[in-house]
């Protein structure tokens, strides 16, 4: 793993924890250990972590309260030996993402790390000209220190492209990731810039942010279009002056790293609407790499599907299965709104659930069991041909819901893109719910 994650194990030292540490290291993670939640907090303040495994008998409620107070956003797993079901449930209710039984299984540790790293996609497969142009541009800019903006639909491989830029840059430090969508602005500000003790209630010690921790490495901002106006201004200052301050800090800290930003939103539209700063767009978008959607890549779809089928069969210990000609034809007809991620998941389900010697169209289903063959495989949801015969009300509803989904539920951003007020958006969504149409998240 070129850019290992950091895993922190919290609990009394024992053979089970040592085995978990060994398995995590074999899966490519850097591992730190702490005996108590208090010691774990010290480790987090000093070196951070991407994933925490904590003994189910520890004070998980107090630990979760502490990391929230200090504005850490970390995946936390509870673990234990023969823990009663109610204790595991209590840990999850306290904020743990899941429960992992000990002694640990290699597959569970690897899966936990994979869920954080999110690097399940392969090295780039396929030779479509649009993809080749994107890769060539990424390779050309990689050795420089210039910021890079990577755009494309959800699931198209933007983070994989960012990692390709970082890996080709020769920077010795790992790429650190900051999630801009769905994270409260004050939490994200602490994640990026760090803070001094006493900066806010719960800040009991200095914290080093990702911009400082990156050193000469790379900081990736996922879904940069979701940044608050205040953070946009601070990020612009970082790019302009190459320095920043921790929250409540006086010292100017030089920024030696590189920023890469990704977005599935139309940032140009956000600039036009006044939601995204034009000067920040200029600095971030000095080099813009557009990752093409999977549906435009023709034969690449088949190459990727065969790769995923082979890999999942090997990982799950199942016999390899080829695709029938009918299944291959369906794969190419389908629009793949979820792009590479959706293709990967669809093929994985076919490997797990299919029973025949080959993968057939009936094996290709969505997570809810709906066969791809029953869906509209000829056109994209709002392609002009798919609009004919539909009412204006239906098209408006679909446009609103798709824009809201693309904005990760952020009604303000969706309203700006659509050119309507937040109040109008709220009223529209309420009318959808009253008509029995699912809206998530509900207003």
């Amino acid at each position: 793993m070129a850019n290992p994650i950091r895993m922190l194990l919290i609990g009394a030292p024992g053979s089970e924890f040592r085995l978990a540490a060994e398995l995590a290291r074999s899966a490519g993670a850097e591992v730190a250990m702490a005996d108590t939640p208090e010691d774990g907090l010290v480790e987090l303040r000093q070196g951070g972590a991407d994933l925490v495994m904590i003994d189910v008998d520890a004070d998980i409620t107090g630990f979760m309260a502490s990391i929230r107070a200090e504005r850490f956003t970390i995946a936390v797993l509870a673990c234990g030996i023969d823990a009663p079901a109610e204790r595991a449930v209590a840990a999850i209710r306290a904020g743990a993402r899941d429960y992992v039984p000990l002694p640990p299984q290699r597959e569970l540790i690897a899966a936990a790390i994979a869920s954080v790293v999110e690097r399940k996609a392969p090295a780039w497969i396929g030779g479509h000209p649009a993809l080749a142009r994107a890769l060539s541009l990424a390779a050309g800019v990689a050795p420089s220190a210039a910021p890079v903006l990577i755009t494309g639909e959800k699931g198209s491989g933007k983070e994989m492209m960012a990692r390709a830029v970082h890996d080709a840059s020769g920077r010795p430090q790992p790429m650190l990731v900051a999630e801009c969508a769905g994270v409260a602005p004050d939490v994200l500000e602490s994640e990026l810039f760090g803070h001094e003790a006493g900066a806010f209630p719960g800040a009991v010690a200095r914290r080093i942010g990702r911009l400082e921790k990156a050193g000469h490495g790379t900081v990736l901002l996922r879904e940069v279009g979701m940044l608050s106006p205040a953070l946009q201004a601070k990020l612009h200052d970082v790019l302009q002056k190459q320095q920043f301050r921790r929250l409540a800090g006086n010292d100017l800290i030089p920024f030696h790293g590189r920023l890469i930003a990704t977005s599935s939103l139309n940032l140009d539209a956000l600039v036009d609407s006044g939601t995204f700063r034009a000067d920040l767009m200029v600095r971030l978008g000095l080099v813009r790499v557009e990752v093409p959607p999977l549906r435009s890549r023709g034969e690449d779809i088949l190459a990727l599907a065969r790769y995923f089928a082979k890999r999942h069969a090997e990982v799950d210990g199942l016999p390899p299965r080829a695709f029938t000609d009918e299944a291959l034809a369906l794969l190419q007809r389908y629009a793949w709104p979820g792009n590479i991620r959706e293709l990967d998941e669809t093929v994985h389900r076919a490997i797990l659930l299919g029973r025949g010697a080959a993968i057939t169209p009936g094996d290709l289903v969505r997570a809810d069991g709906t066969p791809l063959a029953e869906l509209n495989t000829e056109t994209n949801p709002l392609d002009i041909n798919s609009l004919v015969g539909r009412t204006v009300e239906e098209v408006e509803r679909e446009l609103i819901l798709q824009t809201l989904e693309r904005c990760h539920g952020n009604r303000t951003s969706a309203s700006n893109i659509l050119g309507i007020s937040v109040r109008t958006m709220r009223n529209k969504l309420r009318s959808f719910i009253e008509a029995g149409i699912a809206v998530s998240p509900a207003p």
Side-chain angles (χ1 to χ4, degrees):
M1 185 180 298
N3 300 295
I5 70 165
R6 190 169 192 261
M7 184 174 182
L8 174 62
L9 297 173
I10 300 177
S15 58
E16 293 81 7
F17 262 55
R18 285 195 295 271
L19 177 58
E22 292 172 5
L23 292 177
R25 291 189 183 101
S26 69
E30 294 179 350
V31 180
M33 301 185 73
D35 294 347
T36 67
E38 292 74 20
D39 293 337
L41 286 171
V42 173
E43 283 285 343
L44 288 177
R45 293 168 190 144
Q46 293 176 346
D50 302 290
L51 176 65
V52 172
M53 283 184 62
I54 183 170
D55 192 328
V56 72
D57 291 328
D59 180 11
I60 296 179
T61 300
F63 178 74
M64 295 302 299
S66 296
I67 64 174
R68 291 189 189 108
E70 297 196 35
R71 300 181 184 177
F72 288 100
T73 53
I74 309 167
V76 176
L77 303 177
C79 58
I81 304 173
D82 297 328
E86 57 269 19
R87 193 173 300 167
V89 170
I92 293 173
R93 287 177 175 168
R97 179 179 294 183
D98 206 344
Y99 172 78
V100 177
L102 296 179
Q105 298 180 19
R106 183 179 301 274
E107 293 78 9
L108 290 178
I109 296 295
I113 292 173
S115 70
V116 175
V117 178
E118 294 183 357
R119 295 182 64 187
K120 294 168 58 177
W124 292 103
I125 291 175
H128 189 273
L131 176 61
R133 286 194 296 271
L135 289 170
S136 176
L137 182 59
V141 74
S144 73
V148 180
L149 175 61
I150 302 175
T151 58
E153 296 179 4
K154 289 189 295 184
S156 58
K158 297 185 295 298
E159 182 167 344
M160 189 164 64
M161 185 68 75
R163 292 191 181 278
V165 172
H166 173 75
D167 291 344
S169 70
R171 293 174 179 267
Q173 289 90 349
M175 183 174 79
L176 303 181
V177 180
E179 181 63 68
C180 302
V183 179
D186 55 348
V187 174
L188 180 58
E189 186 176 20
S190 178
E191 285 275 344
L192 289 174
F193 296 92
H195 60 248
E196 298 290 352
F200 48 82
V204 297
R206 170 185 287 179
R207 180 186 180 186
I208 304 302
R210 296 195 185 281
L211 293 176
E212 185 175 355
K213 194 184 301 181
H216 289 79
T218 301
V219 176
L220 171 64
L221 301 174
R222 283 189 189 140
E223 293 299 338
V224 70
M226 304 300 290
L227 280 176
S228 68
L231 281 179
Q232 290 179 38
K234 293 193 70 169
L235 185 62
H236 176 266
D237 283 348
V238 172
L239 291 172
Q240 183 179 41
K241 303 173 183 176
Q242 296 296 299
Q243 59 187 15
F244 61 93
R245 288 185 173 90
R246 301 188 195 100
L247 298 186
N250 296 317
D251 297 335
L252 283 171
I253 301 168
F255 177 60
H256 299 297
R258 175 200 226 142
L259 279 175
I260 299 179
T262 68
S263 180
S264 60
L265 301 176
N266 185 334
L267 292 183
D268 293 317
L270 294 182
V271 170
D272 291 341
S273 69
T275 306
F276 198 80
R277 292 176 63 110
D279 53 0
L280 177 58
M281 181 67 174
V282 169
R283 291 190 178 275
L284 280 178
L286 178 65
V287 178
R288 300 175 65 169
V289 179
E290 175 73 24
V291 182
L294 180 60
R295 61 182 171 276
S296 72
R297 290 172 53 187
E299 291 295 325
D300 290 1
I301 296 173
L302 305 186
L304 281 163
R306 292 186 176 105
Y307 171 87
F308 288 134
K310 181 176 182 292
R311 189 191 67 182
H312 287 306
E314 291 174 351
V315 170
D316 295 324
L318 298 170
R321 300 169 68 210
F323 294 89
T324 65
D325 291 342
E326 294 79 9
L328 292 174
L330 176 59
L331 290 172
Q332 285 199 297
R333 289 199 310 272
Y334 185 61
W336 297 113
N339 290 291
I340 295 175
R341 186 181 302 137
E342 184 183 6
L343 174 63
D344 185 5
E345 294 170 352
T346 300
V347 172
H348 196 182
R349 280 191 292 272
I351 291 294
L352 293 174
L353 304 177
R355 293 294 179 264
I359 297 174
T360 68
D363 296 325
L364 301 172
V365 299
R366 281 187 168 179
D368 62 2
T370 304
L372 296 192
E374 294 182 5
L375 301 170
N376 183 356
T377 57
E378 298 293 342
T379 59
N380 298 328
L382 288 180
D383 182 81
I384 187 63
N385 293 323
S386 69
L387 303 182
V388 176
R390 303 172 66 184
T391 67
V392 172
E393 182 180 7
E394 290 173 337
V395 174
E396 179 193 59
R397 181 173 64 237
E398 188 166 345
L399 178 61
I400 289 174
L401 293 178
Q402 285 190 30
T403 304
L404 187 64
E405 180 184 1
R406 186 66 69 87
C407 292
H408 305 279
N410 188 305
R411 284 159 175 70
T412 301
S413 295
S415 299
N416 287 329
I417 291 172
L418 293 169
I420 61 178
S421 68
V422 175
R423 181 178 180 180
T424 298
M425 167 72 77
R426 186 163 49 246
N427 291 338
K428 292 285 186 183
L429 294 177
R430 186 169 291 112
S431 70
F432 298 163
I433 292 174
E434 291 172 351
I437 298 165
V439 175
S440 180

